[in-house]
Amino acid sequence: MSVLVVVECDGGEVKKSSLEVASYGSQVAQMLGTTATAVAVGEATEANLAQLGEQGITKVLHDAEPRLKDFVNGAYTKLIAAAAQKEDAKIIVLANSNIGASVGSRLSIRLQASIATNVVELPKIDGGSFTVKRGAFSGKAFADVKLDGDRKIIAVKKNSIEALHEAGKTAQVEAFSAQLSDADFADAPKQVVMQDQAGGILLPEADLVVSGGRGMKGPENWNLIEELAKALGAATACSKPVSDVDWRPHHEHVGQTGITVSPNLYIACGISGAIQHLAGVNSSKVIVVINKDPEAPFFKAADYGIVGDVFDVLPKLTQAVKELN
Amino acid sequence: MKFLVCISNVPDTTTKIAFTPDNKEFNKAGVQFVINPWDEYALTRAIELKEAQGGGTVTVLNVGEADTEPNIRKALAIGADDAIRVNAHPKDAFFVAQQIASIAKDGGYDVILMGKESIDYNGFQVHGMVGELLGIPTVAPAMKLDLSGNTATLEREIEGGKEIVEVNTPFVASCQQPMCEPRIPNMRGIMTARTKPLKVVEATADAARTEVAAFALPPQKQGVKLIPAESAGDLIRLLRNEAKVI
């Protein structure tokens, strides 16, 4: 009996959200008096996988099949299920990412497991009862969910768990083959297209986000957002009306029907704060709102605010960041 | 081609969230319910594809009690041909997925579409469960869907990009922006929706695997700290020294 952690890798590196997932899994293992094993998906290097020891992982299973570099739902599901069987894993922990949630839901049927996604805290384990806290109602509420049965799958929301860093500890990396066949790759992508990201920072993984709304008045003014984001090392984002009129691409749209983010810092520039936008950002640790309308509803959800013109304020903020750096 | 579109009945996006006194259920009192916004993408795209092919059917499926019928009728008014309501409280994602799979098994549907998640439970689970229960591929979340014969080409969002995936029917896809511009019903649609078939079936006896012990609202914010615009740079120092986020 063990805890199995699914670690997503990209370009050889373990994703930040997977360091959090590994930390979550190893703490659950400790609560249950067992160990946590990871199974790696994506392109991974042995050295980076061994470093998962810092997050409390004792062993990493790695299938070096090259077609696993890109996400393939069928193959990933089979691989993780095989790893879960091998380790007799009763708890499987994944990231609440597009990969984690897609695979997790299929796995829950294949392994006859209960599942909770969007989980924000370590579980409460009391005798036979196993309860996790998850976000609900688009971030406007939380639900304590009891997971039934022998096997449980938990998808952890990004930035909800602090990643552990026990320097010097390493995990043993073990070659693993799930005996994948061509049929398992029936839904393999024909093409993978990566988007241009400001400063190379992926919005769903970002710790810091600078976001613009209609108050930016046009795409030609986005350099002000990008300059502040670059100075901070932040990702850029936008509100729905902005992506609807094609000022910015869809993959930057944050909100109820866009991407949900939970960074440490969300800076909203010229965004009034419609309830649908708030639903996508209200689990951010700190929210800053810059808007010339003092009545903008976003100020009610903000920790810090500046009532002022974004065209005056943003250059001052960029300058202040540069001075601080 | 036969399309099955699964829709949820959810509180309107602007609803103030409140719970029953025991915190076990969402308090529906005075709340307007709508078709889950993500599901509207699935519904509209299915209708567009059917129209483009000049034939086929779009069936709407909802797992819910009788109070969901106004939104099922709305889906019919938007352009679906017929509807099925599984008469049950949707206990959890597993329960709902079993109902959908049970209907789909008998219906011979080529394409099963739904939204990527519902805006109330935010599970992002049902499509994968349905695909696995039926033993067919799932593409989630899909931003684009085209059909050519029995082959579908989809754009699937991944962190930082997209995958272009080809699958053969039957398959399940969960939908999100920018798949299409969701339609609203017109007067003719509203009139014809009244006469379109809506079949009510009882749920299979399958159980749920999860149970909500309690809902809770997030803690109230402490209130905004305002910084004068003329000394905007002070904000950056506060973010470093006070909030410790940069």
Side-chain angles (χ1 to χ4, degrees):
Chain A
M1 190 275 216
S2 74
V3 172
L4 182 73
V5 169
V6 180
V7 167
E8 295 176 29
C9 304
D10 190 14
E13 304 256 347
V14 177
K15 288 185 184 174
K16 175 181 168 279
S17 53
S18 287
L19 299 179
E20 295 165 3
V21 164
S23 305
Y24 188 101
S26 64
Q27 289 175 83
V28 173
Q30 204 167 33
M31 292 162 90
L32 295 170
T34 182
T35 54
T37 297
V39 55
V41 295
E43 192 178 22
T45 68
E46 190 169 332
N48 283 332
L49 294 179
Q51 277 187 6
L52 284 162
E54 294 188 2
Q55 283 74 48
I57 300 296
T58 52
K59 183 170 71 176
V60 186
L61 304 177
H62 183 214
D63 188 333
E65 155 70 66
R67 288 179 293 178
L68 290 167
K69 176 177 168 285
D70 298 317
F71 174 64
V72 184
N73 205 339
Y76 276 35
T77 304
K78 187 170 174 184
L79 170 75
I80 299 162
Q85 301 283 8
K86 177 182 181 296
E87 295 296 310
D88 189 23
K90 299 296 185 206
I91 312 280
I92 298 157
V93 190
L94 327 93
N96 195 62
S97 60
N98 283 341
I99 290 175
S102 295
V103 173
S105 55
R106 289 195 79 107
L107 276 176
S108 73
I109 299 298
R110 196 166 298 192
L111 300 175
Q112 298 187 309
S114 54
I115 177 169
T117 51
N118 224 3
V119 171
V120 296
E121 280 181 6
L122 287 167
K124 290 187 179 68
I125 305 169
D126 183 10
S129 156
F130 192 103
T131 308
V132 288
K133 185 175 188 175
R134 69 185 301 283
F137 292 94
S138 305
K140 289 183 267 184
F142 294 103
D144 288 330
V145 180
K146 277 189 198 165
L147 298 182
D148 293 339
D150 252 8
R151 275 210 172 111
K152 298 163 181 79
I153 300 174
I154 299 167
V156 181
K157 187 174 177 177
K158 289 164 195 168
N159 271 340
S160 301
I161 299 291
E162 199 77 33
L164 304 171
H165 286 286
E166 294 183 58
K169 284 183 79 176
T170 55
Q172 174 202 340
V173 181
E174 194 176 283
F176 174 69
S177 173
Q179 310 291 328
L180 299 168
S181 67
D182 286 349
D184 300 317
F185 290 90
D187 60 331
K190 303 290 169 204
Q191 193 188 347
V192 177
V193 184
M194 296 312 285
Q195 296 141 352
D196 288 334
Q197 304 287 333
I201 298 165
L202 295 179
L203 178 57
E205 295 269 317
D207 279 335
L208 311 174
V209 176
V210 183
S211 186
R214 273 184 298 193
M216 294 304 297
K217 299 206 184 297
E220 67 278 9
N221 299 319
W222 235 260
N223 61 313
L224 295 175
I225 298 278
E226 285 165 343
E227 282 161 14
L228 177 58
K230 190 177 171 200
L232 282 168
T236 57
C238 69
S239 63
K240 183 171 187 291
V242 164
S243 68
D244 281 350
V245 293
D246 285 336
W247 290 1
R248 301 299 293 175
H250 160 71
H251 67 257
E252 287 195 2
H253 160 207
V254 164
Q256 190 148 35
T257 52
I259 291 173
T260 302
V261 293
S262 47
N264 289 330
L265 174 64
Y266 184 80
I267 303 179
C269 311
I271 303 175
S272 61
I275 200 161
Q276 293 90 343
H277 185 78
L278 284 174
V281 306
N282 58 9
S283 50
S284 307
K285 286 198 176 78
V286 172
I287 294 176
V288 171
V289 171
I290 303 159
N291 202 304
K292 67 180 177 187
D293 175 10
E295 301 299 319
F298 218 156
F299 282 115
K300 290 200 176 93
D303 300 282
Y304 296 94
I306 295 178
V307 179
D309 190 333
V310 286
F311 298 101
D312 294 334
V313 171
L314 280 171
K316 285 183 186 165
L317 294 182
T318 304
Q319 186 58 34
V321 174
K322 285 179 180 167
E323 285 168 12
L324 210 61
N325 289 341
Chain B
M1 192 156 285
K2 289 182 74 176
F3 295 88
L4 181 67
V5 179
C6 310
I7 63 169
S8 304
N9 197 54
V10 298
D12 180 81
T13 53
T14 57
T15 302
K16 195 170 176 200
I17 302 302
F19 302 104
T20 51
D22 64 359
N23 287 323
K24 295 237 179 201
E25 299 271 348
F26 173 70
N27 187 349
K28 292 182 178 179
V31 172
Q32 166 100 20
F33 279 74
V34 296
I35 299 173
N36 179 38
W38 300 108
D39 299 338
E40 289 185 336
Y41 292 103
L43 176 63
T44 299
R45 191 62 190 142
I47 294 165
E48 287 175 353
L49 289 167
K50 185 196 95 166
E51 288 171 352
Q53 292 181 342
T57 55
V58 175
T59 300
V60 168
L61 171 61
N62 169 255
V63 180
E65 291 162 313
D67 59 357
T68 70
E69 289 199 1
N71 280 324
I72 299 175
R73 288 283 173 205
K74 186 179 169 193
L76 292 169
I78 289 169
D81 297 287
D82 59 354
I84 302 168
R85 179 169 69 81
V86 177
N87 185 34
H89 175 66
K91 293 178 205 165
D92 74 348
F94 176 59
F95 176 85
V96 171
Q98 287 176 108
Q99 309 310 320
I100 294 170
S102 166
I103 299 282
K105 252 178 210 153
D106 298 333
Y109 297 99
D110 302 290
V111 179
I112 302 171
L113 300 181
M114 61 189 79
K116 78 164 194 170
E117 63 187 50
S118 64
I119 62 162
D120 51 359
Y121 201 72
N122 307 114
F124 196 103
Q125 296 169 20
V126 173
H127 38 77
M129 292 179 177
V130 171
E132 188 72 17
L133 286 165
L134 295 173
I136 59 177
T138 313
V139 182
M143 302 187 290
K144 196 173 173 192
L145 164 59
D146 288 308
L147 281 168
S148 173
N150 290 328
T151 304
T153 305
L154 300 109
E155 284 185 9
R156 176 185 178 281
E157 185 173 49
I158 53 173
E159 275 77 10
K162 63 188 176 188
E163 286 185 349
I164 304 189
V165 179
E166 267 180 26
V167 289
N168 290 331
T169 57
F171 66 91
V172 181
S174 72
C175 303
Q176 68 167 41
Q177 274 194 316
M179 178 155 286
C180 55
E181 191 57 45
R183 290 185 187 177
I184 52 171
N186 56 28
M187 188 49 73
R188 186 170 170 274
I190 293 167
M191 298 306 285
T192 55
R194 292 179 187 167
T195 57
K196 288 180 178 174
L198 195 172
K199 188 164 89 176
V200 179
V201 299
E202 292 307 313
T204 59
D206 298 312
R209 286 181 179 165
T210 62
E211 182 198 340
V212 174
F215 284 108
L217 295 173
Q220 288 269 328
K221 284 267 181 186
Q222 295 298 307
V224 60
K225 184 181 267 192
L226 289 174
I227 291 101
E230 52 278 13
S231 48
D234 289 349
L235 170 69
I236 299 302
R237 284 179 278 282
L238 285 168
L239 292 174
R240 172 161 291 182
N241 301 326
E242 187 177 84
K244 301 187 192 308
V245 287
I246 59 172

